Amino acid sequence: MALDTVSTNKCFGGVQGVYRHASAETGTDMVFSVYVPPHAEGVKLPVVWYLSGLTCTHANVTEKGEYRRACAELGLIFVAPDTSPRGDDVADDEAYDFGKGAGFYVDATEAPWSKHFRMESYITRELSELIAEHFPADMERQAITGHSMGGHGALTLALKTPDRFKSVSAFAPIVAPARVPWGEKALTGYIGADRAAWRRYDATALIEDGARVPELLVDQGMADNFLAEQLRPELLADACEKAGIPLTLRMQEGYDHSYYFIATFMEDHLRWHAERLGS
Amino acid sequence: MALDTVSTNKCFGGVQGVYRHASAETGTDMVFSVYVPPHAEGVKLPVVWYLSGLTCTHANVTEKGEYRRACAELGLIFVAPDTSPRGDDVADDEAYDFGKGAGFYVDATEAPWSKHFRMESYITRELSELIAEHFPADMERQAITGHSMGGHGALTLALKTPDRFKSVSAFAPIVAPARVPWGEKALTGYIGADRAAWRRYDATALIEDGARVPELLVDQGMADNFLAEQLRPELLADACEKAGIPLTLRMQEGYDHSYYFIATFMEDHLRWHAERLGS
């Protein structure tokens, strides 16, 4: 699969790149960023996927995530996809929490969204193959994390494909989209009115239905405006306790929903993943 | 002097704030950012000033500079001013390298610029007093650094007020504005045709004319597009050698002019300043 380089910049001894390709899954051009740390020629490196939140593109975490220093030290490739298909032909909604910038990491089944909004297949199949083909990536050693909507994406993708990801963590994730306004709106729109069909896009429902991961790390700011209504980490804690999944849930006093919160705890997450990836 | 808080976010245990005030020097509202690291009640902390480059506001380094982790560890306050006055009443030029976003840290003497473009006095007098008044800053322990045009600002302000700044460093600074296109254009516009009057806004000329600092740290990317024509670190090296100023000039292979370069070496600079500030 062909890949165009939008930009590359040397940073912390490695290369921060931004790339564009024509996606067969979404039927659009897609842009993503990859940081490759300094490494010896011929070595294959473990991969951390970072899924972004509502309104974001690859650029938010690339500019503000402060992950490169730790990735350089730990020898981790860091992949940041976009959050939805883009372009004039792509259906959209005026709200910030649905349509472009709000793909919710699902394969939409409802018109008009089903034509382009195939972010689950895009990330787990097409982009994954592209990363394996074009970067020095050891696809046997993958981890996944994300923020807010992207935390939902990380948790659900890991729960659905436990063999693919050796570890999973999240920053302020939407843990139960079927039970909060952001998720109810998005899943109704993308997947339809049948709530049974939503369960595979809801981390707590997946755990209730038997999906498992070895353990979870979640950081949540206690000054996060979305905590009580949209994020509800207690629902994940309940589901993990019943299922016997070890959850490290860290409630961080004074931190909000911004990249200032993410950047503060990014290194902790990367070290946690590196240990589990053997990096 | 009154100060409005635009935003505050907890980050690395401290507070990243953005503030606005009515400036008497520039006759405009001015916005700047300050990071205050975690600290014990009543303690006064040393201050690092960071002056930004062409086209920037306080926001570029605040979002992309990756300084907070090291400032939190080292106990440094980090102040990032804007690069010019702003507003509909302020004279401007269509080019990116003159007028708004390009104040060059001078007090302009030529019309129409002299009315608002008083960035030297703004930073060294008014903003300095504001920082002392509103933040837990030990003004006896100040350091200064900056990037490109802001590197020029850091070097010239430190050379002109050696008692004020205990240490000075720069990222890819314009070291001899009187001898490069960016500087010739700006100094002609702001200061006028008399090149003798430019010398107090040119780091190498200041050193030739007898100004001294104890030592200098400069990082310069070797893949920087502006290196040969606009930055010319060899002119600073010559001036420092003749004057006996110890200059640590690090030519960094593969690095460009971007914040990816700055972020990579930010921690080195902060550690260098912290040592000299006794932090």
Side-chain angles (χ1 to χ4, degrees):
Chain A
M1 290 183 282
L3 194 62
D4 292 331
T5 300
V6 176
S7 64
T8 58
N9 298 85
K10 189 168 178 181
C11 196
F12 288 100
V15 176
Q16 178 63 62
V18 177
Y19 306 92
R20 180 185 290 113
H21 69 114
S23 165
E25 285 291 351
T26 68
T28 65
D29 276 7
M30 293 292 286
V31 176
F32 61 95
S33 83
V34 179
Y35 179 69
V36 178
H39 62 281
E41 187 76 27
V43 170
K44 296 273 192 183
L45 303 164
V47 177
V48 175
W49 294 79
Y50 176 90
L51 305 185
S52 295
L54 288 168
T55 77
C56 291
T57 68
H58 72 282
N60 304 66
V61 73
T62 305
E63 295 179 354
K64 301 192 281 191
E66 303 195 22
Y67 55 82
R68 282 170 290 262
R69 180 181 170 280
C71 284
E73 179 194 329
L74 301 167
L76 300 171
I77 290 176
F78 190 97
V79 179
D82 202 347
T83 55
S84 78
R86 307 275 176 182
D88 294 342
D89 298 340
V90 175
D92 199 9
D93 185 275
E94 287 190 3
Y96 75 96
D97 57 359
F98 190 58
K100 290 179 191 172
F104 269 84
Y105 307 100
V106 307
D107 286 347
T109 54
E110 297 296 291
W113 312 102
S114 53
K115 185 175 180 192
H116 297 295
F117 283 74
R118 297 186 48 78
M119 291 301 290
E120 180 179 18
S121 289
Y122 169 67
I123 286 169
T124 59
R125 301 217 302 247
E126 188 174 25
L127 184 55
S128 190
E129 288 173 26
L130 207 65
I131 297 297
E133 183 182 341
H134 290 277
F135 298 90
D138 178 358
M139 303 305 275
E140 299 299 312
R141 291 191 291 161
Q142 296 183 66
I144 192 164
T145 187
H147 173 234
S148 194
M149 176 183 75
H152 145 74
L155 295 174
T156 53
L157 294 186
L159 284 161
K160 283 188 275 189
T161 58
D163 293 345
R164 178 190 296 256
F165 299 106
K166 295 259 183 291
S167 62
V168 53
S169 75
F171 302 86
I174 305 172
V175 303
R179 287 185 274 177
V180 303
W182 275 342
E184 289 179 313
K185 177 179 180 178
L187 293 172
T188 303
Y190 294 136
I191 308 299
D194 176 14
R195 284 177 172 253
W198 298 4
R199 295 186 69 81
R200 66 183 303 275
Y201 293 117
D202 180 302
T204 59
L206 281 163
I207 293 170
E208 289 166 10
D209 294 347
R212 294 292 179 267
V213 288
E215 56 186 321
L216 285 171
L217 170 63
V218 172
D219 272 307
Q220 173 63 58
M222 291 174 71
D224 185 324
N225 287 336
F226 303 111
L227 175 54
E229 188 182 11
Q230 304 281 10
L231 304 175
R232 305 187 65 185
E234 72 280 5
L235 297 178
L236 181 68
D238 286 349
C240 284
E241 192 179 354
K242 285 177 189 150
I245 297 174
L247 165 66
T248 304
L249 172 59
R250 309 195 306 183
M251 300 301 289
Q252 304 285 5
E253 192 179 339
Y255 286 90
D256 61 24
H257 202 63
S258 72
Y259 269 91
Y260 294 111
F261 156 67
I262 299 169
T264 300
F265 300 106
M266 179 63 83
E267 181 176 345
D268 289 355
H269 285 241
L270 293 172
R271 289 194 184 283
W272 194 84
H273 289 298
E275 279 176 22
R276 283 148 187 84
L277 293 166
S279 181
Chain B
M1 289 184 282
L3 194 63
D4 292 331
T5 299
V6 177
S7 64
T8 58
N9 299 86
K10 188 168 179 181
C11 196
F12 288 101
V15 175
Q16 178 62 62
V18 177
Y19 306 93
R20 180 186 290 113
H21 69 116
S23 165
E25 284 291 349
T26 68
T28 65
D29 277 6
M30 293 293 287
V31 176
F32 61 95
S33 82
V34 178
Y35 178 70
V36 178
H39 62 281
E41 188 75 27
V43 171
K44 295 273 190 182
L45 303 164
V47 177
V48 176
W49 293 79
Y50 176 91
L51 304 184
S52 294
L54 289 168
T55 76
C56 291
T57 69
H58 71 282
N60 302 67
V61 73
T62 305
E63 296 179 353
K64 300 192 283 191
E66 303 194 22
Y67 54 82
R68 282 169 290 263
R69 180 181 169 281
C71 284
E73 179 194 329
L74 300 167
L76 299 172
I77 291 177
F78 190 97
V79 179
D82 202 347
T83 56
S84 78
R86 309 274 176 182
D88 293 342
D89 298 340
V90 175
D92 199 11
D93 186 276
E94 288 191 0
Y96 75 97
D97 56 0
F98 189 59
K100 289 179 192 170
F104 270 84
Y105 306 100
V106 305
D107 286 347
T109 54
E110 298 295 292
W113 312 103
S114 53
K115 185 174 181 192
H116 297 295
F117 283 74
R118 298 186 49 78
M119 291 301 291
E120 180 179 18
S121 290
Y122 168 68
I123 287 169
T124 59
R125 300 217 303 245
E126 188 174 24
L127 185 54
S128 191
E129 287 171 28
L130 207 64
I131 297 297
E133 183 182 340
H134 290 277
F135 299 91
D138 178 357
M139 303 306 274
E140 299 299 311
R141 291 190 292 161
Q142 297 183 65
I144 191 164
T145 186
H147 173 234
S148 194
M149 176 184 75
H152 144 74
L155 295 174
T156 53
L157 295 186
L159 284 161
K160 283 187 276 190
T161 58
D163 293 344
R164 179 191 294 255
F165 299 106
K166 294 257 183 294
S167 62
V168 53
S169 74
F171 302 86
I174 305 171
V175 303
R179 287 186 272 177
V180 305
W182 275 342
E184 290 179 311
K185 177 178 180 179
L187 294 173
T188 302
Y190 295 134
I191 308 299
D194 176 13
R195 284 179 171 251
W198 297 4
R199 295 186 69 81
R200 66 184 302 276
Y201 293 118
D202 181 302
T204 60
L206 281 163
I207 293 170
E208 288 165 10
D209 294 347
R212 294 291 180 269
V213 288
E215 56 186 321
L216 284 172
L217 170 63
V218 172
D219 273 307
Q220 173 62 59
M222 293 175 71
D224 185 324
N225 287 335
F226 303 110
L227 175 54
E229 188 182 10
Q230 305 281 10
L231 304 175
R232 304 187 65 187
E234 71 281 4
L235 298 178
L236 181 67
D238 286 351
C240 284
E241 192 179 354
K242 284 176 188 151
I245 298 174
L247 165 67
T248 303
L249 172 60
R250 310 194 306 182
M251 300 300 290
Q252 303 287 6
E253 191 178 338
Y255 285 89
D256 60 25
H257 202 63
S258 72
Y259 269 91
Y260 294 112
F261 156 68
I262 299 168
T264 300
F265 300 106
M266 179 63 83
E267 182 177 345
D268 289 356
H269 285 241
L270 293 172
R271 289 193 185 285
W272 194 84
H273 290 297
E275 280 177 22
R276 283 149 187 83
L277 293 166
S279 182

